[in-house]
Amino acid sequence: MVSRESMGGGSTGGGLAVPEGYEPKSEASLAAYLAGVSAVAAHLGGAAGDWRVREVGDGNLNLVFIVEGPTGGVAVKQALPYVRLVGESWPLPLSRAHFEQMALTTEAKHAPGLVPDILHYDETLALIVMELLQPHIIMRQGMIKAVRYPGFVEAITTFMAGTLFGTSDLALTADEKKAAMAEFCGNSALCKITEDLIFTEPYRVAENNRWTTPQLDGIAREFREDAALKVAVSRLKLKFLSEAQALIHGDLHTGSVMVTEEDTRVIDPEFAFYGPMGFDIGAVIANLLINYFSQDGHATPKDPREAYQDWVLEVTEGVWTGFRTKFLTLWRNGAAGDAYPTALFADAAGAAALKAEQEAYMDRLFADSIGFAAAKMIRRILGLAHNIDLEWIEDPDRRAACETRCLRLARDMMVNRASYPTIEAVTAAARKMREGD
């Protein structure tokens, strides 16, 4: 388990210190609080007694409420001073709410219309009041039911290209970038969770780990004993620790995206910090691949999923190709940062050299993304927090079969990244892994 010391902050009564005035809100107390926030009260309409308040949080960390009034609704997210999934034995700083609202503000600047609007932020309560997204659902839940989202690729690639380019050294001066990095350096407790749960614990005996047992006992042991795999994941961990390329969401997956068939919004950037771009891209790819393999556990004779699986792989390809095109377009049309100064590449030879370097840059970024995707796939099966794509497969043998395919592909993607020079190579390998049984 992540130690209390590693989480940072002062200890009070066995947990972290909380500011005076902090208290977790409940369905009973939240309406009275919001009634005192004039902008929110006006948005909801009527009086507090007219509002319907529901606690709907099903995540690992926070309280989440939906509040609906006569003229509008809001979503309210409040941090707890511990990991909700585990309880008070795992303290966690409330400051993550501060970093989340900063990240949402930055993301809105670089990807307008793709994150929820913030209506109110209370630092003492670690509480954010946001636009209520309706009739949106969590994308992962829709994908488990084989719902297609035709606008997802366009939206997520616009989001990633805009936020990653716009906060990088390609777009910012060194002074601007360093100032922005400094604002997020304090989010170390959330980074520590990632560092441990994704890059370390699945590869050793750890209290947090769990998997489908006994079916995956052998492969879990195999991964713990795989020296090449442990070297590969440690290289990725070093990148995560040391490469501050851009402001990354830090937890970008199909559970952090709310969708309708027409609209896509990215939520929950509380893990945001300046890190390697490939971590975000890889997280999206990983969760699509997990869903691809999971469909065999949800399919029935009356509801075959092969056509949907083909669509998922098309989306996977589109995520990388769309991102690559948009990122390069931003770079070629709006490079105002201190990296690759345009004055050095003003003549024809320089322009050609820069174009070649941009292509090479994207190739390196793709290799990073594939490695991080593999790490995310492994942690979701052998680590602490699992995906409902797989968890909701009731038959443990069917679930384990899907999980084994994920793990086998992920291991190869991480250790043999040179064998995956294109996204099409990844999707072809996924098809082969699924059809090879």
Side-chain angles (χ1 to χ4, degrees):
M1 169 136 343
V2 179
S3 69
R4 193 169 289 162
E5 289 75 17
S6 72
M7 289 293 91
S11 178
T12 301
L16 292 180
V18 298
E20 184 177 352
Y22 173 84
E23 62 173 8
K25 291 301 179 183
S26 65
E27 291 183 352
S29 66
L30 183 60
Y33 168 78
L34 294 178
V37 182
S38 57
V40 176
H43 178 80
L44 292 169
D50 302 320
W51 303 340
R52 181 187 181 202
V53 182
R54 290 174 290 144
E55 209 283 309
V56 297
D58 59 359
N60 298 325
L61 300 181
N62 308 291
L63 295 171
V64 181
F65 302 88
I66 289 177
V67 185
E68 295 171 296
T71 61
V74 296
V76 179
K77 182 174 181 179
Q78 185 180 28
L80 294 167
Y82 52 83
V83 176
R84 184 176 184 177
L85 176 66
V86 176
E88 294 184 11
S89 64
W90 188 339
L92 196 63
L94 297 172
S95 59
R96 64 188 187 272
H98 168 74
F99 297 112
E100 178 168 1
Q101 61 88 21
M102 283 202 308
L104 284 168
T105 300
T106 302
E107 291 166 352
K109 174 183 175 182
H110 296 291
L114 293 176
V115 296
D117 295 333
I118 296 177
L119 303 178
H120 174 69
Y121 171 60
D122 188 316
E123 183 113 19
T124 298
L125 292 177
L127 181 148
I128 308 172
V129 183
M130 291 172 279
E131 169 189 9
L132 179 61
L133 301 176
Q134 287 185 327
H136 300 64
I137 67 167
I138 296 294
M139 184 176 178
R140 177 174 287 149
Q141 296 176 0
M143 291 188 71
I144 291 171
K145 299 176 182 178
V147 178
R148 302 187 186 209
Y149 297 102
F152 172 70
V153 169
E154 174 65 23
I156 200 66
T157 54
T158 298
F159 174 84
M160 291 193 301
T163 58
L164 296 178
F165 176 83
T167 60
S168 74
D169 291 291
L170 303 172
L172 300 176
T173 67
D175 286 347
E176 291 170 334
K177 170 83 175 304
K178 287 179 173 62
M181 287 171 58
E183 290 188 326
F184 284 89
C185 280
N187 205 16
S188 56
L190 276 292
C191 291
K192 179 64 174 172
I193 291 176
T194 298
E195 293 152 16
D196 288 347
L197 298 190
I198 296 179
F199 298 111
T200 303
E201 292 194 355
Y203 306 91
R204 66 177 180 87
V205 175
E207 182 182 352
N208 287 322
N209 292 343
R210 64 182 181 87
W211 54 80
T212 303
T213 186
Q215 290 87 345
L216 297 186
D217 289 358
I219 196 168
R221 181 174 59 254
E222 178 186 322
F223 277 34
R224 293 195 301 269
E225 297 172 353
D226 190 333
L229 181 61
K230 290 187 284 188
V231 167
V233 78
S234 295
R235 289 175 179 166
L236 290 167
K237 184 174 183 178
L238 181 59
K239 282 183 176 289
F240 187 85
L241 290 166
S242 60
E243 295 192 6
Q245 291 181 317
L247 179 64
I248 65 172
H249 179 284
D251 198 27
L252 189 58
H253 51 70
T254 51
S256 297
V257 177
M258 295 194 70
V259 289
T260 66
E261 292 188 7
E262 294 79 28
D263 189 43
T264 302
R265 305 290 189 94
V266 176
I267 63 172
D268 292 349
E270 62 195 316
F271 283 79
F273 83 112
Y274 273 75
M277 297 182 192
F279 189 78
D280 273 2
I281 305 161
V284 176
I285 291 171
N287 283 268
L288 292 170
L289 291 173
I290 288 172
N291 181 268
Y292 169 77
F293 286 113
S294 76
Q295 293 298 332
D296 289 315
H298 299 292
T300 66
K302 293 183 178 180
D303 183 21
R305 299 293 180 95
E306 287 88 352
Y308 189 74
Q309 287 170 299
D310 288 341
W311 178 81
V312 173
L313 292 187
E314 290 172 9
V315 168
T316 306
E317 293 173 359
V319 164
W320 171 254
T321 57
F323 167 80
R324 185 182 186 280
T325 297
K326 291 175 181 180
F327 190 94
L328 282 173
T329 298
L330 289 170
W331 189 351
R332 289 166 179 164
N333 295 335
D338 282 347
Y340 299 97
T342 54
L344 297 184
F345 304 98
D347 60 11
L354 179 58
K355 183 176 181 180
E357 172 59 15
Q358 289 169 332
E359 298 287 336
Y361 182 102
M362 300 308 293
D363 289 343
R364 294 192 297 269
L365 180 52
F366 179 72
D368 287 350
S369 301
I370 294 310
F372 285 122
K376 296 285 276 188
M377 292 166 72
I378 293 168
R379 70 76 50 119
R380 288 296 188 181
I381 298 170
L382 300 181
L384 173 64
H386 290 201
N387 278 17
I388 59 174
D389 307 66
L390 294 164
E391 291 286 278
W392 284 4
I393 299 171
E394 294 183 3
D395 184 326
D397 290 328
R398 291 184 74 184
R399 181 171 65 247
C402 298
E403 291 170 332
T404 297
R405 295 173 195 133
C406 283
L407 291 170
R408 293 298 182 199
L409 177 62
R411 193 270 175 193
D412 198 59
M413 286 167 56
M414 191 184 296
V415 175
N416 301 310
R417 275 191 277 169
S419 300
Y420 299 89
T422 66
I423 191 64
E424 291 78 15
V426 174
T427 56
R431 285 192 178 92
K432 183 177 180 181
M433 184 66 66
R434 175 178 171 263
E435 296 167 358
D437 287 358

